Amino acid sequence: MACLVLTAMIWGFAFVSQVQGMASMSPLFFGATRFTLGALSLIPLLWFRRDNIAKQEQQRRESNKNPMVSLGNGGKVSMPKWLGNPVIVSIICGIVLFAASTVQQYGVLYSGSAGRSGFITALYIVMTPLLAFLILRRRVTVNVIVSVAIAVVGFYLLCITDGFGSITLADIVLLFTAVLFAGHILVIDTFGQKMDPILLSFGQISTTAILSWIGSLCEGSIDWSGAMQSWFPIVYAGVGSAGVAYTLQVVGQQLVPPARAAVIMSLESFFSAVGGALLLGEVMTTRAYIGCALIFIGTVLAQVPVKVPRLLRKRE
């Protein structure tokens, strides 16, 4: 849990860096430089863990077993052997991460409203248990349902101040972003459980960086003078948000179920509000403070174990 809370805090404060970076760079070029630094920051850790990674890969090849996906109803599905390859899994995670981060940036650009965009994107805390139930047949406990509902109300009070109005194209794009982030959480949970977290993080971040560079080249948005103006936001978002936080996400998700992980990581919106107040001089209203309190309540409630009454256990 601590890894995921720290992940949310780093991501939340990185929101300030992303806002500052957008003042002189395009979303794709910012992503390209950011994720490149993130990948480079993990190379020393990869070198330090090279023996463990090599041993783990040798064991995987010698076992010659197909990866298994556990369903919520107790069943297991045998997957193709290539889905057990760390390189393949890293690329899949990277493609989903690239799509989610890029679509989000453009959704915010089209929307023009940080609060509205933040609320809609944060709906991945609802999408994650829903997708887990629909795709993996995983049961959603009552406390997770209640915690998600409380957190959603908190996000609404924190981020939405002027009402929704009519649904726009930007809203649909951001809603799709929430689905992509939920998918990213489930892909890591499904295929990354037995992988080395550093290797998986490096692979997905490198894939995202390569795709971002390709996109920047295609749209002609490479601007090194703009990058120099935003060097500090790039360094923080790259090393901190990409290199450290996405690695902590992989580690945390190996210990926490995806639905609860989504609720914990949704604290990034709370920390982004705190970062805005401390670093950008933004002042929150009473309504926003109530929203922050509800988000905390929802996050804590998601971690409370549910005990089935003895009478119900006897009936079962």
Side-chain angles (χ1 to χ4, degrees):
M1 177 179 175
C3 287
L4 296 177
V5 172
L6 184 56
T7 298
M9 184 178 68
I10 295 173
W11 281 348
F13 280 96
F15 178 78
V16 176
S17 296
Q18 290 175 301
V19 171
Q20 294 172 337
M22 288 300 95
S24 61
M25 304 172 67
S26 71
L28 277 171
F29 185 49
F30 182 79
T33 54
R34 167 193 178 186
F35 285 103
T36 298
L37 281 180
L40 292 175
S41 69
L42 292 178
I43 291 179
L45 290 177
L46 280 177
W47 177 259
F48 179 77
R49 293 180 59 84
R50 65 188 185 281
D51 293 336
N52 291 334
I53 293 175
K55 183 179 179 180
Q56 189 177 36
E57 178 62 14
Q58 182 179 359
Q59 292 175 349
R60 183 189 68 83
R61 292 181 179 179
E62 291 177 351
S63 66
N64 199 30
K65 294 181 180 179
N66 290 37
M68 305 295 293
V69 175
S70 300
L71 302 179
N73 57 10
K76 292 186 177 181
V77 178
S78 178
M79 305 299 291
K81 290 182 180 180
W82 55 269
L83 280 176
N85 189 314
V87 176
I88 300 298
V89 175
S90 297
I91 292 175
I92 293 174
C93 292
I95 291 174
V96 179
L97 177 59
F98 165 76
S101 59
T102 304
V103 171
Q104 181 191 37
Q105 289 289 353
Y106 281 101
V108 172
L109 180 64
Y110 298 150
S111 173
S113 171
R116 188 183 185 112
S117 302
F119 175 76
I120 298 175
T121 303
L123 289 176
Y124 70 81
I125 70 172
V126 179
M127 302 294 182
T128 301
L130 179 61
L131 289 179
F133 174 75
L134 293 176
I135 299 175
L136 301 175
R137 311 283 185 180
R138 293 182 180 175
R139 184 173 62 92
V140 181
T141 59
V142 175
N143 67 319
V144 171
I145 295 175
V146 175
S147 66
V148 166
I150 294 175
V152 168
V153 174
F155 277 119
Y156 178 84
L157 295 177
L158 176 62
C159 301
I160 305 300
T161 57
D162 300 324
F164 282 105
S166 59
I167 297 177
T168 65
L169 176 61
D171 297 334
I172 298 175
V173 172
L174 289 167
L175 186 61
F176 183 56
T177 300
V179 177
L180 289 172
F181 275 121
H184 182 247
I185 292 173
L186 290 179
V187 168
I188 291 178
D189 178 76
T190 303
F191 300 109
Q193 286 291 328
K194 297 182 179 180
M195 286 185 57
D196 183 88
I198 305 299
L199 180 61
L200 175 56
S201 183
F202 175 79
Q204 71 167 354
I205 291 174
S206 298
T207 300
T208 306
I210 292 172
L211 293 176
S212 298
W213 280 113
I214 294 174
S216 299
L217 287 171
C218 291
E219 71 174 6
S221 60
I222 296 178
D223 181 7
W224 292 111
S225 62
M228 290 302 297
Q229 296 177 22
S230 303
W231 69 269
F232 184 78
I234 293 173
V235 171
Y236 179 82
V239 178
S241 178
V244 176
Y246 279 112
T247 302
L248 290 174
Q249 178 195 4
V250 175
V251 174
Q253 279 198 236
Q254 292 181 346
L255 304 173
V256 179
R260 292 184 179 181
V263 177
I264 298 173
M265 289 186 290
S266 68
L267 278 170
E268 65 176 299
S269 288
F270 165 76
F271 287 115
S272 69
V274 173
L278 294 177
L279 302 177
L280 300 179
E282 298 177 354
V283 179
M284 293 190 294
T285 63
T286 302
R287 171 193 176 103
Y289 283 118
I290 295 174
C292 291
L294 289 176
I295 293 172
F296 264 124
I297 293 172
T299 304
V300 173
L301 181 61
Q303 305 307 309
V304 177
V306 177
K307 295 184 178 180
V308 179
R310 184 178 302 175
L311 179 60
L312 293 180
R313 289 201 299 267
K314 289 182 178 180
R315 289 182 179 179
E316 292 178 357

